[in-house]
Amino acid sequence: MSFFKKLKEKITNQTTEVTDKFKQGLEKTRDSFVGRMNELVYRYRKVDEDFFEELEELLISADVGVTTVMELIDELKDEVRLRNIKDTKEIQPVISEKLAELLEKEGDDVSLNLQESGMTVILVVGVNGVGKTTSIGKLAHHLKQQGKSVMMAAGDTFRAGAIEQLEVWGERVGVDVIKQQAGSDPAAVMYDALQAAKARKIDVLLCDTAGRLQNKVNLMNELEKVKRIIEREVPGAPHEVLLVLDATTGQNAMSQAKTFGQSTDVSGIVLTKLDGTAKGGIVLAIRHELDIPVKFIGLGEKVDDLQPFDAEQFVYGLFKDVLEAEQEDSQ
Ligand SMILES: Nc1nc2c(ncn2[C@@H]2O[C@H](COP(=O)(O)OP(=O)(O)OP(=O)(O)O)[C@@H](O)[C@H]2O)c(=O)[nH]1
């Protein structure tokens, strides 16, 4: 049974607050992208080359990514031939189903690599302004809610105010922050934090890092140095290297992922500000074009607006109107 059919069966009893979070957080993308797709379907009536051309433009404008769009359009054309679809209304659920299948990468493990025994060290990287500090604070809150003891390391000693900003989050979520003064060597901060976390038998140490230095080479070298200290002090760590990307920066986020991915073997992506963009299609591009799973998405500025990525919740948040209409038709 297709992912889409399974999803339709599941949404009937999904009324959790998480579902509402995804629905509210994805409102801009739903209204724009899905709304424009519905308009296209009703304006064209017949499925022809012009329809596919406009659908292609619409998907690209939603930041789905050219490579992904080309593959998707080809698959849709095959499906139209296979099912002998003539009317655009018939193709609408097929489009949603294809997008859903893109999101649900078989075997994709989006859970955090938390250690059963001993400390888990999570390094958080990303350029400034993407929501890194905020995401670390939210992640600390999320882990505490799971009963984990958490500590944060103020590894961004470069940007003025970064240390204080992390301390504000530490107070907000009730988590200690290990820091030194601005301008200190981040490797020294990490060393202190690792010793303190080990001494207090902390479950998870979240390490903030600089989002900008004088240039990219220095930044990547500093991240490598920080990683070496972590690996030396906690064998097998860091257990996660989370790259924070800002969904509102669209394809720019893809190039950041490629840059960081080349030099810091990123294990997962935190995609922030999805509530602030109508171009939520970037999730499809990231999942389809990069080999890095999206592990969390930011759906707002509040402390519980960081949600573990869930393809079903995401699709439901995007296509709930189409799904519910389908649900009614089939009753
Ligand atoms: N709407 C919305 N705003 C967010 C989200 N995540 C972060 N922000 C906001 O984005 C702005 C930047 O967040 P920061 O955490 O300061 O960004 P940063 O990456 O830490 O920046 P540096 O500290 O300079 O590295 C803040 O105003 C956050 O409240 C989100 O998911 N949705």
Side-chain angles (χ1 to χ4, degrees):
M1 187 193 293
S2 79
F3 168 76
F4 209 65
K5 299 259 177 320
K6 278 187 290 184
L7 178 66
K8 278 205 289 192
E9 279 190 356
K10 285 190 179 180
I11 58 172
T12 40
N13 54 13
Q14 277 193 359
T15 51
T16 64
E17 69 283 356
V18 171
T19 302
D20 292 340
K21 275 253 176 256
F22 272 75
K23 274 195 291 186
Q24 285 149 21
L26 293 172
E27 186 177 4
K28 277 195 176 169
T29 296
R30 182 170 62 248
D31 291 352
S32 161
F33 170 53
V34 180
R36 285 164 58 203
M37 191 170 80
N38 295 342
E39 185 272 329
L40 184 68
V41 162
Y42 285 103
R43 180 153 47 87
Y44 266 88
R45 294 271 178 242
K46 287 285 161 264
V47 175
D48 56 21
E49 227 10 74
D50 293 343
F51 167 78
F52 277 119
E53 253 176 54
E54 255 202 76
L55 178 62
E56 192 176 294
E57 283 160 28
L58 167 55
L59 289 165
I60 289 172
S61 72
D63 267 339
V64 175
V66 176
T67 314
T68 306
V69 170
M70 292 307 142
E71 287 179 32
L72 183 65
I73 295 291
D74 288 347
E75 279 188 31
L76 282 173
K77 286 180 176 174
D78 293 346
E79 209 65 34
V80 162
R81 273 192 291 276
L82 206 65
R83 303 191 199 183
N84 193 25
I85 290 175
K86 298 276 184 271
D87 184 331
T88 53
K89 262 204 89 180
E90 291 171 81
I91 196 174
Q92 191 170 17
V94 180
I95 297 171
S96 319
E97 187 169 337
K98 284 291 167 207
L99 289 173
E101 282 167 7
L102 268 180
L103 274 169
E104 173 83 37
K105 262 170 113 172
E106 288 307 319
D108 212 9
D109 178 9
V110 295
S111 62
L112 273 183
N113 176 26
L114 297 176
Q115 301 306 291
E116 288 301 311
S117 62
M119 178 164 58
T120 300
V121 182
I122 297 176
L123 193 60
V124 183
V125 300
V127 302
N128 288 126
V130 295
K132 188 160 36 67
T133 312
T134 303
S135 299
I136 291 173
K138 292 173 176 176
L139 185 55
H141 174 71
H142 172 77
L143 289 164
K144 277 192 72 176
Q145 284 189 311
Q146 291 183 335
K148 301 289 182 189
S149 57
V150 184
M151 191 182 273
M152 301 193 283
D156 184 351
T157 60
F158 183 82
R159 178 177 73 84
I163 296 169
E164 291 71 19
Q165 190 190 0
L166 195 67
E167 286 187 293
V168 167
W169 272 103
E171 277 149 35
R172 188 175 296 168
V173 299
V175 165
D176 286 341
V177 176
I178 304 297
K179 65 180 172 79
Q180 292 184 8
Q181 69 271 28
S184 312
D185 175 359
V189 176
M190 286 309 155
Y191 179 79
D192 282 357
L194 288 159
Q195 301 314 317
K198 282 196 273 191
R200 294 184 222 171
K201 298 199 182 341
I202 291 291
D203 294 325
V204 185
L205 175 64
L206 299 175
C207 306
D208 189 10
T209 59
R212 152 179 56 80
L213 286 182
Q214 303 79 1
N215 58 55
K216 190 162 62 175
V217 171
N218 290 7
L219 181 58
M220 296 304 148
N221 290 341
E222 181 172 286
L223 290 176
E224 275 314 303
K225 187 177 162 194
V226 161
K227 274 185 64 184
R228 280 197 300 276
I229 289 281
I230 292 173
E231 280 159 346
R232 194 188 68 198
E233 296 302 314
V234 180
H239 305 98
E240 285 279 3
V241 178
L242 297 181
L243 169 62
V244 183
L245 298 174
D246 177 343
T248 61
T249 59
Q251 292 304 312
N252 192 15
M254 294 292 284
S255 55
Q256 282 171 24
K258 287 171 183 145
T259 306
F260 276 91
Q262 277 151 12
S263 56
T264 51
D265 44 35
V266 169
S267 58
I269 284 169
V270 177
L271 191 60
T272 63
K273 309 182 195 177
L274 267 168
D275 57 299
T277 177
K279 299 181 161 214
I282 185 77
V283 179
L284 291 152
I286 288 176
R287 284 177 74 71
H288 190 62
E289 293 171 32
L290 299 176
D291 267 346
I292 312 168
V294 173
K295 297 213 168 185
F296 287 91
I297 54 174
L299 293 168
E301 301 204 73
K302 292 195 298 298
V303 72
D304 58 353
D305 280 339
L306 186 77
Q307 291 293 328
F309 182 73
D310 176 322
E312 293 175 345
Q313 294 278 10
F314 191 88
V315 171
Y316 177 62
L318 269 193
F319 297 111
K320 71 182 197 50
D321 305 333
V322 177
L323 282 159
E324 281 155 4
E326 279 260 308
Q327 202 79 11
E328 278 153 28
D329 293 351
S330 61
Q331 269 155 6

